[in-house]
Amino acid sequence: MRFMSAPSIGQFIPGESFIHGLDPRCKIVATVILMTGLFMASGIPDFLLWFCLLLLCSALSGIKLGVILRSGRPVLFLVLVTVVMNLLWTPGTELARLGPLRITREGVLLASSMGLRLLFLVIFAGMLMMTTSPMAFSDGLERIMSPLSLLRFPTSEMAMMMTIALRFIPTLFEETDRILKAQISRGADFESGGILRRARSFIPILVPLFVLVFQRAENLAVAMESRCYVPGARRSRMNPLKWRGRDSSALAGLALFVVFAIFCDRYLFKAILAWLAMR
Amino acid sequence: MPIVADNISYAYNVGTSAESVALRGVSFTVERGEWVSVVGHTGSGKSTLAQHLNLLLTPRSGSVSIDGAEAKPGSGESRVARRRVGLVFQYPETQFFAETVRAEIEFAPSNWGVSGGALKACVDEAVSASGLDPALLESNPFALSGGQRRRVAIASVIAMRPDYLVLDEPTAGLDAAGIRELIQFLSGVRDAGLGVVQVTHDLRSALSYSDRILVLENGSRVVSGTPEFVARHIIDNPVRGLVIPPVVRFADALRKKGMNVPLICEVDEMVRAIGIYKERNKKCGS
Ligand SMILES: Nc1ncnc2c1ncn2[C@@H]1O[C@H](COP(=O)(O)OP(=O)(O)OP(=O)(O)O)[C@@H](O)[C@H]1O
Ligand SMILES: [Mg+2]
């Protein structure tokens, strides 16, 4: 029986592909560009273009498309709610009617683009996390935010916090799995009874988990201090980040794609549609 | 009626890049009233096997049957089966959640609907069997020492009166006296008719006290059988991470010199055997 498996979403998948080898700063900036582009996308044909980009990412990262798509799974419910809401509550030309519910042409368009946009957002974010080790990610983020430290913003502490948080997600899943198994083998039952009983039945899971987290936190703090960690102190790097030519090329290529996608969405596809409608 | 694991294989994280095979076609039996030890180096699959006996894990191939009925995990029966096979985990403190030791021990039996006087009886019995100081019943389980915590964990499992007791590394972190008490406890449990499975990497205690031993390496069975048989096998074909105890090595060396001492015995037994041998030799020589 599988009780808790570590999340396949957003977990680093080690590899040596082109995308894995890019500078984390490049990948973070690229993701931000992609997200901006996605917010401007609106038509279904445009999302086909974005899907092609996903195929390209899959080829360049050596990660199977199925695995990449799977990172959208946690938001599937949210997407569904968004789609339904937009579908039912958008005024416009009526397509179908079901009692008090009206489905409109505009609703269908809005719902599909909203849903797709959300999915793509999460999937591209997942792509970033799958190809960037947590260490490299927080390193990159720290460097990107470093101008903020002039404003006394604690960038290196923030990055350290993020590193630790990311590092402990899989550990937490493992520990939860262990606790779950221990309680289930003592007959814990999470399925029967009313809401109150079910909520109560999680106490034997949550209490050990909290105790464990606090213990871990304390151990980690002691270990860090015993190795002379001083918040905000200047540290040199073991593997300094290096921005290479291919990082610039990748970013340039991506920017071009986004501009092209927006152009298609705004003018090209509309023009084609208009042309088709005329014939 | 035994627990029978027939040719089971298991892998973690199937279908991801982190897939790791933990068991490869292992067969295993434990009867009631029998003490079986499972030994092997770190990562050899001992804990994985232990969790199969309790239906927490489902074999990828092969089957596990408990008292003759093949156990289908996820069914209502698996909950019933789970009550019959008590499993004490490698790190028992990860299961503590209650405010008092008593509540902690009451957890398992009350999950099966035991209450009132019967519940109290279960707790008292478990406490005395596991050698836990009854004065600790009202204290906070998190405030106990490592050895006491382990006893609480064991008590909290035997309180549900299982027919089999599976313990994952029960001796880890115990001092010599604690280990001796634990072994006494396990012998008592076995003599009371329960099937005992002890997962350990301490070959010494496994050889001296268990009825049968299963040796795992990289998820496969290396050898299984009586302690003598297993010791013999390991002396001839060393297994990574398993050290033959000095007494056994000594006995083996003596036997190779033609001295007829038992292969597995405690030091004083050994001394006695050597004494008898010398006496006899003297008589023959004169
Ligand atoms: N939750 C898990 N997820 C992924 N792999 C696991 C998990 N648990 C165990 N493994 C792997 O399965 C193999 C067997 O592990 P197992 O815990 O059964 O070993 P063990 O013999 O109990 O070791 P130890 O003596 O260290 O407790 C190991 O290679 C381990 O890396
Ligand atoms: Mg183990």
Side-chain angles (χ1 to χ4, degrees), chain A residues 1 181 183-184 186-187 208, chain B residues 51 58 79 94-95 104 156:
Chain A
M1 195 182 312
K181 280 177 175 168
Q183 307 302 30
I184 285 176
R186 291 200 294 166
Chain B
Q51 289 172 29
T58 318
R79 232 175 88 80
T94 55
Q95 64 176 40
E104 189 67 44
S156 81

Side-chain angles (χ1 to χ4, degrees), chain A residues 271-279:
Chain A
I272 293 174
L273 284 179
W275 183 71
L276 282 179
M278 276 196 3
R279 298 211 20 181

Side-chain angles (χ1 to χ4, degrees), chain B residues 9 11 19 32 56 73 120 157 170 173 223 233 256-257 266:
Chain B
S9 300
E19 179 168 330
R32 294 196 193 170
L56 284 172
K120 198 173 173 312
V157 169
V223 58
H233 184 95
K256 287 206 172 106
K257 292 237 179 289
E266 292 298 310

Side-chain angles (χ1 to χ4, degrees), chain A residues 42-63:
Chain A
S42 59
I44 308 275
D46 201 32
F47 283 108
L48 277 175
L49 266 181
W50 285 93
F51 188 74
C52 292
L53 182 69
L54 215 52
L55 285 177
L56 185 69
C57 284
S58 165
L60 287 179
S61 65
I63 300 175

Side-chain angles (χ1 to χ4, degrees), chain B residues 70-250:
Chain B
E70 180 168 338
K72 287 266 181 297
S75 59
E77 294 155 37
S78 72
R79 232 175 88 80
V80 179
R82 222 165 258 147
R83 178 176 188 176
R84 282 193 270 162
V85 187
L87 176 58
V88 182
F89 275 79
Q90 191 162 358
Y91 309 98
E93 45 275 20
T94 55
Q95 64 176 40
F96 291 169
F97 71 96
E99 280 165 46
T100 64
V101 170
R102 179 186 295 282
E104 189 67 44
I105 300 177
E106 280 172 349
F107 181 64
S110 60
N111 277 329
W112 271 287
V114 181
S115 61
L119 184 60
K120 198 173 173 312
C122 278
V123 173
D124 291 342
E125 192 189 290
V127 167
S128 72
S130 59
L132 189 72
D133 182 1
L136 294 175
L137 268 178
E138 305 309 326
S139 55
N140 185 329
F142 294 103
L144 302 179
S145 76
Q148 289 166 333
R149 285 183 192 192
R150 197 164 290 266
R151 286 203 180 85
V152 173
I154 292 175
S156 81
V157 169
I158 55 175
M160 64 189 195
R161 294 191 172 142
D163 298 328
Y164 302 90
L165 188 60
V166 182
L167 306 103
D168 198 349
E169 309 266 4
T171 54
L174 292 185
D175 57 8
I179 293 180
R180 207 172 322 119
E181 280 174 33
L182 182 85
I183 282 169
Q184 259 168 22
F185 160 72
L186 290 183
S187 309
V189 166
R190 184 235 342 242
D191 295 342
L194 272 74
V196 175
V197 179
Q198 181 202 9
V199 169
T200 180
H201 42 229
D202 175 23
L203 191 56
R204 204 185 103 77
S205 70
L207 286 173
S208 312
Y209 302 103
S210 47
D211 300 313
R212 279 191 305 117
I213 298 176
L214 167 70
V215 181
L216 291 180
E217 186 174 21
N218 288 334
S220 309
R221 185 183 72 170
V222 175
V223 58
S224 65
T226 60
E228 284 80 23
F229 182 76
V230 168
R232 190 71 268 152
H233 184 95
I234 299 181
I235 290 170
D236 298 338
N237 319 278
V239 176
R240 179 160 72 90
L242 289 185
V243 182
I244 295 285
V247 206
V248 178
R249 277 215 311 267
F250 184 49

Side-chain angles (χ1 to χ4, degrees), chain A residues 5 8 20 45 62 80 95 98 100 107 134 139 144 158 168 176 186 198 210 230 234 251:
Chain A
S5 53
S8 47
H20 281 89
L80 219 69
L95 283 184
L98 227 140
D139 239 22
I144 288 181
M158 288 299 283
F168 275 94
T176 313
R186 291 200 294 166
R198 269 195 228 184
F210 271 96
V230 178
R234 274 193 70 84
L251 270 192

Side-chain angles (χ1 to χ4, degrees), chain A residues 70 117 125 134 144 234 257 268:
Chain A
R70 218 186 299 158
R117 185 178 297 152
I144 288 181
R234 274 193 70 84
F257 169 84
L268 196 60

